[in-house]
Amino acid sequence: MKSREKKQVTRVNTLLHGGDYNPDQWLNRPDILADDLKLMKLAHTNTYSIGIFAWSALEPEEGVYTFDWLDTIFETIHQNGGTIILATPSGARPAWLSQKYPEVLRTNELRLKHLQGARHNHCFSSPVYREKTQHINRLLAERYGNHPALLMWHVSNEYSGECHCDLCQVAFKEWLKETYNNDLAALNEAWWGPFWSHTFNSWSQIQSPSPIGEDAVHGMNLDWRRFITDQTINFYQNELVPLRELTPTIPVTTNFMADTDDLIPYQGLDYGKFAKHVDVITWDGYPAWHNDRESTADLAMKVGFIDDLYRSLKQQPFLLLESTPSAVSWHEVNKAKRPQMHLLSSMQMIAHGSDSIMYFQWRKSRGSSEKFHGAVVDHDNSPENRVFKDVAEVGKILESLSAIAGTTRPADVAILYDWENNWALNDAQGYGAKTKNYTQTVQEHYRTFWEKDIPVDVIMKDQDFSSYKLVVIPMLYLLSLETLSRLKEFVAHGGTVVSTYLTGIVDEHDLAHLGGWPKDLQDIFGINVVETDTLYPSDYNKVRYGEKEYELKEYASIVEVKQAEIKGEYLEDFYAHTPAITSHSFEKGKSYFIGGRLERSFHSDFYGEIIKELRLTPVLSVRHEKGVSVQARQSETEDTIFVMNFSEETQVVYFDQPVWDRLNEVELVGEVMLEKYAVKVVTVPLEDNSQ
């Protein structure tokens, strides 16, 4: 194994606390703006994202600029001891721009032109919009680039969506020509053109996917999604030109998202690719705490997964750029955080690698769609309500923990996640239409490590595998020969890999691998996957593994053993008593294959054995029951460990060695009571924390 190289980290020298501040909504209320400065002190906040949707306040008419209000805000926040994350305003256009230059409006997949309104509805290919956004960005950089309050650039906001206008059709064709080296025959091969007579003999014949045209060519659909990511990045890079030129030492970011209904990473863009173009990963986290679909611990596991994914994208701390101190306004049910949940959920973010707790929004808007969205300052303008006090408590604690800013933690376990794989698998017209659930499946493989307090990196397919002891690749349906070669090298040099059903089915163009399961996979796992069975919800099967039987649902790989050891077998159907779970020693390493989708208890038992075999250990041994999570950050001198109760009852935890309770300034050892939603933050010197 290679030793883990030290990563270059873009450091924030303290933990940030604050959020989206919209003084442009209150320019006619100087009393409100004055109150803000007082309340910022009381809330223990220090950083504010400003200007995100302020274009019409900065340029109310074309070429007419009103920066005086922003000048004042910069000065007053600076004098108040705060710093500013300054946004470029491209996320929402002023009406005059759409009226004069209608080419900036998006066209949807039905080829209908959007109207002015809402936000994030502009064409990324539009030369006019690129020129206008770059110009306003240059003015901002010239005016505020040297201001001591400027901490970071917040470029646009939550990039998303796609455009199918004529400009984007031209851009798509140019992207394809570059991707396929101007070789139309290569494109036809990659898209399997002869199917349904879809061979192109001119680039001009190609149009973006549409339900009123072509949307069943899977290679085209995959390339279109790749183009959307690249075109969005290209637009973002156009915004960066004056920022990099005039403020080369100021870091830049743009905020990533998560789909909140089931809390999975946003799927509209490949953030693995986008991450290479930002200095700091930031994301907007809005878990639906206290929902009636899942336990608090189940939701906390998903939050941990996304945190670990976004931290792993650059192997450095991330920033939580938006969250809510209470409720939001756009869930189906907008439930308030219960007492203690705001502190607990904030500490979870810090524990998994965030260097900030930032909110949308600082002050509730008086009107429009977000007037009831949670905020630090409510319509009552009072520091005495419960939510404001919760925020102030978090602020005080973040001040006491500021030394951990910039720290992270090493991991011996990596779980591979791939946006392109999810796009391709969801597009596949086979298996179960509603049961593929790639991201949810990856989260289930992550769960056991989270529950057992084992640090995990959630990595991309092009990241280095060599420093990990274990790499888990669930459902890697889309598998290129390049990725496969790197996995084979990882195992050959002593690594352990776990894979599952629906892995290695298609290549990077979404073309099926010919000749059966790829030979390198057969070598690594010592098996050949010859068939995949898809089950109805009413179908019944089980797998015997060790001394236990586990329920099988939805998918089962029918496996032919070549050299592998059979660890488990199916018990029902025509493949009864055939291999379901296998292991295989390949050169210096080892592989495991899980043939079917099995119940949660199987993962706990299976990965529990691997954890013992590979001697994977938590940063600190804390004995506890399910519902408690223990996560750590490591500096050069000590571990800071977060012991968090994500259950609705008091839990007993046991510290096997003395630790220092940072929040209460006392030593803890042995049995400690952890109340509902409570958190302990403890430290241990590194030399005292050997496992």
Side-chain angles (χ1 to χ4, degrees):
M1 296 281 186
K2 292 181 182 176
S3 62
R4 185 177 299 281
E5 295 181 1
K6 200 159 188 177
K7 305 293 182 183
Q8 182 65 36
V9 174
T10 302
R11 284 188 65 96
V12 172
N13 60 14
T14 191
L15 297 177
L16 307 183
H17 189 223
D20 284 21
Y21 180 36
N22 302 293
D24 45 300
Q25 294 182 19
W26 303 96
L27 295 181
N28 63 343
R29 289 294 304 272
D31 57 320
I32 292 289
L33 299 179
D35 283 345
D36 283 334
L37 296 175
K38 300 172 188 175
L39 293 169
M40 287 170 179
K41 290 282 191 182
L42 293 175
H44 294 265
T45 53
N46 56 31
T47 306
Y48 312 93
S49 302
I50 294 177
I52 296 170
F53 300 120
W55 199 336
S56 62
L58 295 169
E59 190 181 5
E61 301 175 40
E62 185 175 19
V64 176
Y65 303 102
T66 52
F67 290 110
D68 53 325
W69 66 269
L70 189 52
D71 295 343
T72 301
I73 292 298
F74 256 86
E75 283 304 311
T76 54
I77 285 182
H78 178 54
Q79 294 301 320
N80 209 39
T83 58
I84 289 173
I85 299 175
L86 182 58
T88 67
S90 66
R93 300 176 310 279
W96 62 258
L97 204 161
S98 300
Q99 183 180 44
K100 185 171 182 179
Y101 306 103
E103 73 165 49
V104 305
L105 297 167
R106 264 184 200 167
T107 298
N108 70 14
E109 67 275 12
L110 297 175
R111 305 321 193 240
L112 297 175
K113 179 75 86 174
H114 289 196
L115 301 176
Q116 163 68 16
R119 55 178 184 165
H120 307 305
N121 60 355
H122 36 270
C123 171
F124 288 143
S125 301
S126 164
V128 168
Y129 202 58
R130 286 173 174 243
E131 186 272 327
K132 290 295 183 183
T133 54
Q134 194 177 102
H135 181 66
I136 190 73
N137 293 1
R138 179 171 295 278
L139 295 179
L140 290 169
E142 288 172 345
R143 196 171 188 98
Y144 304 107
N146 292 320
H147 198 288
L150 181 61
L151 179 69
M152 186 178 300
W153 287 106
H154 179 319
V155 183
S156 196
N157 183 72
E158 296 182 337
Y159 284 114
S160 59
E162 59 191 62
C163 178
H164 296 257
C165 73
D166 290 344
L167 291 168
C168 288
Q169 301 298 336
V170 171
F172 182 41
K173 293 179 181 68
E174 291 304 312
W175 182 92
L176 291 171
K177 289 177 183 178
E178 182 177 351
T179 299
Y180 291 97
N181 297 313
N182 211 33
D183 186 346
L184 194 57
L187 177 142
N188 282 316
E189 174 71 16
W191 290 4
W192 208 242
F195 180 78
W196 286 358
S197 194
H198 284 344
T199 300
F200 298 104
N201 55 32
S202 169
W203 296 99
S204 64
Q205 296 164 357
I206 299 172
Q207 294 288 320
S208 61
S210 171
I212 61 172
E214 182 53 71
D215 63 359
V217 175
H218 292 168
M220 172 192 280
N221 295 344
L222 184 57
D223 276 344
W224 172 251
R225 294 183 179 100
R226 288 167 171 157
F227 163 75
I228 292 301
T229 292
D230 286 352
Q231 189 72 342
T232 304
I233 292 171
N234 186 267
F235 180 86
Y236 159 85
Q237 289 174 319
N238 183 75
E239 288 211 51
L240 289 192
V241 170
L243 310 185
R244 293 299 198 197
E245 174 191 336
L246 298 171
T247 60
T249 63
I250 302 296
V252 298
T253 190
T254 188
N255 42 342
F256 292 174
M257 297 180 284
D259 291 330
T260 58
D261 286 345
D262 202 26
L263 205 68
I264 66 172
Y266 174 68
Q267 293 300 306
L269 298 169
D270 183 347
Y271 283 159
K273 183 177 287 188
F274 210 143
K276 299 172 184 177
H277 303 278
V278 301
D279 296 324
V280 181
I281 300 296
T282 62
W283 80 283
D284 299 346
Y286 294 102
W289 296 111
H290 320 297
N291 70 65
D292 61 357
R293 305 182 298 274
E294 60 199 336
S295 71
T296 302
D298 285 342
L299 180 54
M301 178 275 293
K302 295 176 182 178
V303 175
F305 172 85
I306 296 179
D307 283 344
D308 286 345
L309 169 62
Y310 289 166
R311 174 184 53 77
S312 300
L313 287 175
K314 295 186 82 68
Q315 295 290 331
Q316 67 183 40
F318 62 92
L319 298 178
L320 178 69
L321 207 56
E322 287 186 21
S323 64
T324 177
S326 184
V328 297
S329 60
W330 37 267
H331 285 163
E332 186 174 343
V333 174
N334 297 291
K335 194 166 187 174
K337 286 180 178 176
R338 270 37 192 171
Q340 299 303 311
M341 177 50 73
H342 180 54
L343 174 59
L344 175 62
S345 60
S346 298
M347 290 301 99
Q348 185 189 23
M349 292 289 178
I350 301 297
H352 281 268
S354 179
D355 274 353
S356 74
I357 301 296
M358 303 281 282
Y359 309 107
F360 181 85
Q361 47 195 330
W362 164 255
R363 177 182 288 278
K364 281 187 178 177
S365 174
R366 191 176 182 190
S368 205
S369 63
E370 290 173 326
K371 63 180 176 289
F372 298 127
H373 191 291
V376 179
V377 182
D378 210 326
H379 294 134
D380 63 8
N381 203 44
S382 172
E384 298 302 322
N385 62 56
R386 180 177 71 92
V387 172
F388 190 96
K389 289 180 178 179
D390 284 351
V391 169
E393 179 188 20
V394 168
K396 291 178 184 178
I397 290 173
L398 292 178
E399 289 169 356
S400 73
L401 298 176
S402 61
I404 70 171
T407 65
T408 182
R409 50 58 180 317
D412 290 324
V413 178
I415 296 180
L416 196 151
Y417 184 79
D418 183 17
W419 273 267
E420 291 188 348
N421 180 70
N422 197 34
W423 296 339
L425 184 57
N426 285 340
D427 216 20
Q429 292 168 276
Y431 311 114
K434 297 181 179 180
T435 61
K436 293 165 187 170
N437 295 331
Y438 166 66
T439 302
Q440 294 84 348
T441 301
V442 177
Q443 289 174 332
E444 282 302 313
H445 285 261
Y446 169 90
R447 175 189 296 277
T448 298
F449 301 101
W450 183 82
E451 291 180 343
K452 295 183 182 294
D453 311 324
I454 306 297
V456 173
D457 286 348
V458 183
I459 64 171
M460 304 296 99
K461 58 180 177 287
D462 59 353
Q463 288 180 261
D464 182 21
F465 303 155
S466 64
S467 60
Y468 300 102
K469 292 181 179 179
L470 173 66
V471 173
V472 183
I473 53 169
M475 291 182 71
L476 197 56
Y477 167 83
L478 184 146
L479 181 58
S480 69
L481 294 180
E482 178 185 356
T483 302
L484 180 49
S485 175
R486 295 176 63 243
L487 284 169
K488 189 174 184 179
E489 181 182 11
F490 168 71
V491 180
H493 285 84
T496 298
V497 67
V498 176
S499 192
T500 72
Y501 53 93
L502 294 183
T503 288
I505 308 300
V506 300
D507 68 7
E508 65 271 26
H509 298 297
D510 206 353
L511 294 174
H513 289 291
L514 298 182
W517 216 41
K519 183 180 182 304
D520 279 347
L521 284 178
Q522 296 185 39
D523 292 342
I524 294 169
F525 292 96
I527 60 173
N528 185 24
V529 178
V530 296
E531 193 174 350
T532 299
D533 190 20
T534 305
L535 280 63
Y536 284 100
S538 59
D539 287 335
Y540 175 88
N541 206 332
K542 284 195 170 186
V543 166
R544 180 183 290 118
Y545 174 77
E547 301 299 319
K548 294 184 181 180
E549 295 180 0
Y550 303 89
E551 181 183 352
L552 172 76
K553 57 183 180 181
E554 295 167 353
Y555 296 105
S557 300
I558 300 166
V559 169
E560 172 187 85
V561 168
K562 303 179 75 174
Q563 296 172 308
E565 177 184 354
I566 300 172
K567 307 288 286 186
E569 64 177 16
Y570 299 109
L571 297 183
E572 304 289 341
D573 222 309
F574 70 93
Y575 40 94
H577 307 299
T578 66
I581 315 293
T582 63
S583 68
H584 179 54
S585 295
F586 175 71
E587 297 192 20
K588 296 179 181 179
K590 195 168 185 179
S591 65
Y592 294 87
F593 186 79
I594 303 171
R597 182 172 286 174
L598 294 162
E599 62 181 287
R600 186 172 295 174
S601 63
F602 167 78
H603 290 142
S604 181
D605 293 341
F606 172 80
Y607 284 116
E609 292 177 7
I610 292 180
I611 287 169
K612 291 179 182 178
E613 180 181 335
L614 296 179
R615 299 180 180 178
L616 304 172
T617 57
V619 173
L620 178 71
S621 177
V622 182
R623 287 177 284 153
H624 59 81
E625 300 299 322
K626 286 191 175 181
V628 173
S629 175
V630 181
Q631 304 292 329
R633 293 180 68 163
Q634 189 175 92
S635 70
E636 294 180 357
T637 59
E638 66 181 8
D639 286 320
T640 301
I641 296 142
F642 299 76
V643 184
M644 300 167 283
N645 182 6
F646 289 102
S647 73
E648 278 64 40
E649 58 190 23
T650 298
Q651 296 266 21
V652 179
V653 300
Y654 299 86
F655 293 97
D656 293 329
Q657 66 184 78
V659 298
W660 185 252
D661 183 342
R662 286 289 305 275
L663 304 188
N664 298 297
E665 298 296 325
V666 296
E667 185 177 83
L668 302 176
V669 67
E671 180 177 308
V672 174
M673 305 300 290
L674 206 60
E675 295 181 356
K676 168 185 175 180
Y677 301 157
V679 58
K680 295 288 184 184
V681 182
V682 302
T683 55
V684 183
L686 282 180
E687 62 269 20
D688 295 342
N689 195 23
S690 58
Q691 297 294 321

